[in-house]
Amino acid sequence: MDLIVARNRTDLVKARGQGSVALVPTMGALHEGHRSLIREARTRADQVVVSIFVNPLQFSPNEDFSRYPRTFDADLEACRDEGVDVVFAPTADDMYPPDRQVSVQSGEMGTIVEGAVRPGHFDGVLTVVLKLFNLVQPDVAIFGQKDAQQLAMIRRMVADLDLPIDIVGAPTVREPDGLALSSRNRYLSADERQVALALSTALRAGAAESVPSKIRAAALSVLEAAAPRLALDYLVLVDPATFTEVYELFQGEAVLAVAAKVGTTRLIDNVVLTLRPA
Ligand code: AMP
């Protein structure tokens, strides 16, 4: 079957098959990371829907909404290649009529770590994701571990609002040298790209240690060596479910997460670690 492009709820209803549906929400500019989520979706449901929507609500006025890469034709080609059934690409006017009032509040967890640097960001993310869930009505939705706090917040929303959707986290896809794939990597000059490698290098350095203070220190020393060309927003070692900092004797899974600006490009990355008793 050929790829269906749906613009609104009516199109989506028409395109819906008999079986289960997996949704992969994206902002387009699709790369191999997105494609790995699509392949994961394929294994989980009969029909795969990819949404492509650059969500104005999750960008603050000083962020890169207007210059965010938009490559719709290439995105459709990638979706065709991956055997996607439906691309849902609504307009901002349809998603957000001017008289809208109600939105999702991400709570305390939306104000820490990434949320502290980007106030309102997670409210915008959760609002659009809830709308996408209601429009597409998927059985399962796939999100990248690359945006670890986003994944945690979506799991929280699904639990707190009793949404009947399975949330699947998929591993981060990287370039051979370690740089995590991101739609924003295309903003980097060759020089900046070299500097940006400090993020993944720092995470690897941290991952080689086993207690929180040493993990943080090892990662931080790599990031400090890249300053001032790399401007650090945060480096944290947190509980993957709550995004609160883990204490020194913590055991179990933890996320070492970093955000930094290289030139004008803001990058995030993280790695999941298992902390065991010494
Ligand atoms: P975005 O288009 O950046 O909003 O991302 C859409 C989805 O792709 C999100 O669930 C991201 O976490 C995921 N994603 C982005 N980059 C990667 C990557 N390098 N590997 C795996 N998933 C990714």
Side-chain angles (χ1 to χ4, degrees), residues 23-41:
L23 172 66
V24 180
T26 81
M27 298 204 297
L30 301 184
H31 51 64
E32 197 49 43
H34 299 113
R35 290 174 77 134
S36 74
L37 304 193
I38 294 171
R39 290 195 280 271
E40 181 63 40

Side-chain angles (χ1 to χ4, degrees), residues 25-28 31 33-34 36-37 58 68 142-147 150 170-174 180-183:
T26 81
M27 298 204 297
H31 51 64
H34 299 113
S36 74
L37 304 193
Q58 70 191 69
Y68 195 85
I142 323 291
F143 293 88
Q145 177 63 40
K146 162 82 170 21
D147 297 274
Q150 169 176 288
T172 301
V173 177
R174 299 176 180 281
L181 296 193
S182 162
S183 305

Side-chain angles (χ1 to χ4, degrees), residues 64-275:
D64 59 347
F65 174 71
S66 55
R67 74 165 189 146
Y68 195 85
R70 288 162 172 87
T71 61
F72 192 62
D73 291 340
D75 292 348
L76 288 186
E77 220 30 65
C79 287
R80 259 190 213 102
D81 265 12
E82 295 296 341
V84 169
D85 299 284
V86 180
V87 165
F88 177 46
T91 65
D93 290 348
D94 282 344
M95 287 295 265
Y96 301 122
D99 59 345
R100 75 182 192 92
Q101 298 276 325
V102 178
S103 58
V104 180
Q105 283 200 349
S106 52
E108 169 88 29
M109 201 175 150
T111 66
I112 57 175
V113 192
E114 185 73 3
V117 184
R118 305 183 70 187
H121 171 68
F122 287 116
D123 294 355
V125 169
L126 295 186
T127 299
V128 80
V129 169
L130 182 60
K131 283 170 70 75
L132 291 169
F133 284 175
N134 287 331
L135 285 158
V136 176
Q137 303 199 7
D139 301 280
V140 52
I142 323 291
F143 293 88
Q145 177 63 40
K146 162 82 170 21
D147 297 274
Q149 192 174 358
Q150 169 176 288
L151 176 59
M153 296 254 31
I154 287 162
R155 289 193 196 283
R156 194 69 254 165
M157 174 172 76
V158 163
D160 289 352
L161 303 184
D162 303 301
L163 306 181
I165 301 170
D166 281 343
I167 302 301
V168 173
T172 301
V173 177
R174 299 176 180 281
E175 303 276 10
D177 62 8
L179 185 69
L181 296 193
S182 162
S183 305
R184 291 186 169 101
N185 289 352
R186 70 190 69 199
Y187 300 149
L188 299 169
S189 68
D191 231 35
E192 288 172 341
R193 197 189 170 291
Q194 276 308 111
V195 177
L197 277 180
L199 273 77
S200 53
T201 308
L203 296 178
R204 279 200 307 276
E209 299 292 338
S210 50
V211 288
S213 55
K214 287 190 174 163
I215 292 170
R216 293 187 184 100
L220 207 52
S221 74
V222 175
L223 296 164
E224 280 168 357
R229 295 208 56 200
L230 180 146
L232 187 63
D233 271 346
Y234 59 77
L235 171 79
V236 292
L237 182 65
V238 293
D239 180 319
T242 61
F243 260 69
T244 54
E245 293 273 359
V246 301
Y247 53 93
E248 192 67 357
L249 298 177
F250 180 89
Q251 290 175 27
E253 281 209 337
V255 170
L256 182 61
V258 62
K261 261 190 160 179
V262 178
T264 56
T265 306
R266 187 165 183 279
L267 300 169
I268 62 171
D269 198 356
N270 70 85
V271 67
V272 183
L273 310 176
T274 306
L275 305 184

